[in-house]
């Protein structure tokens, strides 16, 4: 029992730091996707996202990780993990469905 509690106590900060898509999006992606800078599809614009959704999440994630057009890799934040980028993408896609 003590080992379990100790393990949970040590892992709690790691769990709290898990990717929160809305936060990652707001801190890294919104500056372009809210106003549609450089033709970035706007948050919640179902028409703009429809053809992108057809490409599938994996293709969109690859573009977000590697960059595409004016969008730099990982929204210009190389410290983001692939999981954080994926969580931000999921948040963005949820707004377009």
């Amino acid at each position: 029992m003590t080992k379990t509690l100790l393990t949970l106590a040590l892992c709690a900060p790691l769990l709290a730091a898990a990717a929160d898509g809305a936060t990652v999006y707001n801190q890294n992606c919104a500056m372009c996707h809210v106003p549609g800078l450089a033709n970035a599809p706007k948050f919640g614009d179902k028409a703009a996202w429809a053809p992108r959704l057809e490409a599938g999440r994996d293709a969109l994630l690859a573009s977000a990780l590697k960059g595409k057009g004016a969008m730099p890799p990982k929204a210009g934040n190389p410290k983001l993990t692939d999981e954080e980028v994926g969580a931000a993408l999921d948040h963005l896609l949820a707004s377009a469905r």
Side-chain angles (χ1 to χ4, degrees):
M1 176 75 169
T2 303
K3 278 186 169 181
T4 302
L5 291 175
L6 180 59
T7 301
L8 287 173
L10 292 174
C11 291
L14 297 175
L15 296 173
D20 171 24
T23 300
V24 175
Y25 169 82
N26 288 329
Q27 293 175 351
N28 298 278
C29 312
M31 66 187 79
C32 292
H33 285 282
V34 169
L37 291 179
N39 295 318
K42 292 182 181 180
F43 185 85
D45 185 340
K46 291 177 177 26
W49 280 100
R52 291 165 174 90
L53 288 169
E54 288 179 14
R57 184 187 183 276
D58 290 343
L60 292 169
L61 180 58
S63 292
L65 292 172
K66 296 175 185 172
K68 183 171 182 175
M71 181 178 65
K74 296 185 176 186
N77 184 351
K79 292 182 181 179
L80 290 175
T81 65
D82 292 1
E83 291 77 20
E84 289 170 325
V85 174
L89 175 62
D90 291 340
H91 175 70
L92 187 56
L93 295 179
S95 77
R97 291 194 171 129

